[in-house]
Amino acid sequence: MLSIINKTVWSIATVLIVFSSFYYTFKLKFIQIRIDKMFKYLFKNENKKGISSFKALMMTLAGRIGIGSIAGVALAIYVGGPGSIFWLLFISFFSASLSFSETVLGIRYRTKEKDVYRGGPSEYIDKGLKKKKLGRIYAFIILFSYIVGFIGIQSNTITKALTSSLTIKPYIIGIIVSTLTILIIYGGVKKIADASSKIVPIMAILYIFTAIVIVLKNINLIPNVFIEIVNNAFNFKSITGGFVAAFVTGIQRAIFSNEAGLGTGSIASSVSNTDSSVKTGYVQMLGIYITSFLVCSATSIIILTSNYKTLSLTDINGIELTSYAFDYHLGNIGNIILLISIILFAFSTILTGYYYCESSTKFLIKKANQKHLNILKILTISSVFIGCIISSTTLWNVVDILIGVIAIINIYTLLKLYKDVLIEVYDAKKNKI
C-alpha cells in the first residue's frame, strides 16, 4: 500500500516539477545560463553582519549533496540504464529556474531575527499566498520528515559504511556522531553555516578530484561512455526498458539529488545577509550545477567506466554499485575515499537538516523560546543515535511520500506566485543588478 501511494504521489510531483521547470525557464528567459552573475555575487557581501552568500550556499549544498549523489545516481544507472544520467542532467538544467524562484520568494517574504534571517516555503505560502494553514502543513511535514526519517537515515548510512570496513560497534559510532552534532547545532545557525562552509568544499573537491583521476586513467573509454549515455537515453526500440525507464528514473533522481522544486533549499538560502533576492537567486543556482553536473556526473563516470555490468545484485540500494566501482578503479584507496565521502556527505546533511527543523519549529511556534529549541535538539540527537543502531526500510517509504507531498505544495505555490518572482527580477533589472 505504501509503495502504491508513494508511486502515485511522485507521479504527480514529477509532472508538476517538469512542467514548472519549463514554465519558469521560459518566463525568466533562461536565467540559468547567466553563469557570470552567479560567480559575480558569490563572494560579494553587502553586509558584514549575519551570514554571507557563500556560507548560505554551502548550507544549501550540505543539504543537497547527500547520499543520493552517491547511491542515488548508482541506482538510477542500475534501474534506468546509462541514459538516465542524460535525463538527470537535462531536468537539472531546467529546474535551476525553480531554485532561483524559490530563493527569490524566500528572501522576499523572510523574517528577521536579530541579525539573522529566516525564511522558506512556509513563510512565502503564509505571506505571499495568504494560506497560513497550508504553510503550517508544509512546516510540520518538514519537521516530521527530518526528525523521524532523514536525519536518522543519514547517520544509519554512516554506520553501515564504517561497520563494513571496521570492527566497531554501531552504538560507539552513534555516540561519536551524536556528540559532534551536539557541538555544532548548539552554536545555532551561524555555527552550522561555519561548519558547512568548511565541510562542503572539502568533500566536493575530494570527490570530484577522484573522478578526474579515474577519467585520466580511463580517458580512452570516455567517448564511448558519452555515446552510451545518449544512445540509451533515446532508445525507442525498447520503450519500457529503454526511453521510459531512463527518462522517469533520471528525472526522479535529479529531484532527489538537487532538491529543486522541494523548497528546502530556500530555507537555507534565506539566511543570506544580502539585500537582493535576485543576487541570492543567482548564487543558489550554482548549487544545482555543483550537485548535478559535478558531483552526480562524477559518480556516473566512476561507475560507467567500471565493469559494473558483470554484477548481479538483488535488493539494491545503490551504494553497492558505487563501492564496487571505487574498488575496481582504485582498490583499497578507493574504498577509503568513498568511506570518507559518505561520512562527510551524510554528516553535512544532518546539520542542514537540523536547521530546516529549527526554521519550521519557529514558524509553527511563533514565540518559540530556548526550551522549545532544546527539545528539538534532544529529538535531533536521539534521531542521530537511533539511526545508527536500527534499520528504517518502512520509514523510508513514509518519508518519500511526505517529501512528495511537500514538492506538490511548493510547486503549486511557485506557480501561483510567479508574478512576485517576475516583479523582483524586473526591479533588479531596473537597478542594473
Side-chain angles (χ1 to χ4, degrees):
M1 180 61 71
L2 284 175
S3 178
I4 292 171
I5 296 171
N6 193 7
K7 288 178 181 178
T8 303
V9 168
W10 271 101
S11 295
I12 298 169
T14 301
V15 170
L16 284 173
I17 288 175
V18 172
F19 170 76
S20 58
S21 295
F22 285 108
Y23 181 80
Y24 263 109
T25 292
F26 289 105
K27 279 286 183 182
L28 298 173
K29 300 178 181 178
F30 284 82
I31 200 166
Q32 60 265 56
I33 68 174
R34 296 302 307 269
I35 306 292
D36 56 328
K37 289 195 174 184
M38 296 178 200
F39 283 101
K40 177 182 178 181
Y41 300 124
L42 179 58
F43 298 104
K44 190 175 180 180
N45 299 326
E46 298 174 357
N47 185 352
K48 292 183 179 180
K49 292 184 178 180
I51 296 168
S52 68
S53 296
F54 174 76
K55 288 184 178 180
L57 176 62
M58 293 304 105
M59 275 186 68
T60 309
L61 284 173
R64 284 180 171 147
I65 305 177
I67 299 306
S69 301
I70 301 177
V73 172
L75 187 61
I77 292 171
Y78 195 80
V79 174
S84 60
I85 302 304
F86 176 90
W87 295 114
L88 183 154
L89 298 177
F90 175 83
I91 197 60
S92 292
F93 170 77
F94 283 97
S95 66
S97 62
L98 296 183
S99 177
F100 175 87
S101 304
E102 292 167 350
T103 301
V104 166
L105 290 173
I107 298 290
R108 181 179 173 91
Y109 291 109
R110 65 186 177 179
T111 300
K112 189 171 185 179
E113 297 176 337
K114 297 180 180 179
D115 61 343
V116 176
Y117 292 97
R118 173 173 56 83
S122 295
E123 296 286 347
Y124 57 72
I125 291 170
D126 177 20
K127 298 173 184 175
L129 209 57
K130 306 296 183 185
K131 294 191 176 182
K132 191 175 186 68
K133 287 184 179 179
L134 188 61
R136 292 178 71 84
I137 290 171
Y138 182 95
F140 177 78
I141 294 175
I142 287 290
L143 184 60
F144 181 83
S145 299
Y146 276 85
I147 288 294
V148 177
F150 274 1
I151 289 175
I153 288 166
Q154 300 300 322
S155 59
N156 185 266
T157 306
I158 292 174
T159 302
K160 286 183 178 180
L162 287 172
T163 53
S164 65
S165 304
L166 306 169
T167 54
I168 183 170
K169 298 291 184 183
Y171 74 89
I172 298 295
I173 299 171
I175 292 171
I176 294 170
V177 177
S178 298
T179 302
L180 290 173
T181 304
I182 289 171
L183 293 174
I184 295 174
I185 67 174
Y186 266 89
V189 64
K190 288 185 178 180
K191 195 78 174 282
I192 294 171
D194 287 341
S196 297
S197 68
K198 292 177 176 65
I199 295 173
V200 171
I202 292 171
M203 72 186 194
I205 291 169
L206 172 66
Y207 200 73
I208 294 165
F209 177 77
T210 303
I212 292 171
V213 170
I214 291 172
V215 166
L216 294 176
K217 282 184 64 179
N218 300 274
I219 194 69
N220 59 312
L221 299 176
I222 301 303
N224 288 332
V225 166
F226 286 119
I227 291 170
E228 186 181 16
I229 288 173
V230 174
N231 286 342
N232 185 255
F234 296 95
N235 178 14
F236 295 103
K237 292 180 180 179
S238 174
I239 296 297
T240 55
F243 170 74
V244 173
F247 181 75
V248 173
T249 305
I251 287 174
Q252 288 182 334
R253 286 306 102 195
I255 294 167
F256 273 104
S257 65
N258 64 40
E259 297 185 8
L262 299 184
T264 48
S266 69
I267 299 175
S269 62
S270 294
V271 305
S272 172
N273 61 16
T274 180
D275 295 325
S276 170
S277 62
V278 170
K279 287 182 181 179
T280 310
Y282 277 118
V283 172
Q284 287 299 319
M285 281 194 289
L286 269 178
I288 303 297
Y289 292 133
I290 292 170
T291 304
S292 297
F293 287 84
L294 290 181
V295 179
C296 290
S297 293
T299 301
S300 64
I301 289 172
I302 290 168
I303 293 170
L304 292 173
T305 51
S306 74
N307 201 21
Y308 76 98
K309 291 181 180 178
T310 60
L311 293 176
S312 179
L313 302 170
T314 56
D315 193 29
I316 182 174
N317 68 15
I319 200 67
E320 308 95 330
L321 203 60
T322 312
S323 179
Y324 169 81
F326 269 82
D327 183 75
Y328 177 88
H329 289 295
L330 302 172
N332 289 332
I333 294 175
N335 287 326
I336 293 170
I337 292 172
L338 180 60
L339 178 64
I340 294 170
S341 298
I342 289 171
I343 292 170
L344 292 177
F345 281 31
F347 185 66
S348 63
T349 301
I350 289 172
L351 298 180
T352 300
Y354 165 76
Y355 177 69
Y356 292 167
C357 293
E358 181 179 301
S359 180
S360 297
T361 299
K362 288 179 177 179
F363 180 82
L364 290 167
I365 307 171
K366 290 302 180 184
K367 295 183 179 180
N369 53 35
Q370 195 57 48
K371 180 182 177 181
H372 295 108
L373 296 183
N374 285 338
I375 292 172
L376 177 62
K377 289 179 173 70
I378 291 169
L379 290 173
T380 301
I381 301 306
S382 300
S383 179
V384 170
F385 182 79
I386 293 170
C388 289
I389 59 177
I390 66 167
S391 176
S392 306
T393 305
T394 303
L395 192 59
W396 254 121
N397 278 325
V398 175
V399 172
D400 280 350
I401 293 168
L402 294 174
I403 293 301
V405 172
I406 70 168
I408 292 170
I409 295 172
N410 187 58
I411 293 299
Y412 163 74
T413 307
L414 288 181
L415 292 173
K416 295 287 284 186
L417 295 179
Y418 79 93
K419 288 183 179 179
D420 290 33
V421 177
L422 295 181
I423 288 170
E424 291 286 318
V425 172
Y426 174 77
D427 289 344
K429 285 183 178 178
K430 192 167 64 174
N431 294 320
K432 297 182 179 180
I433 292 176

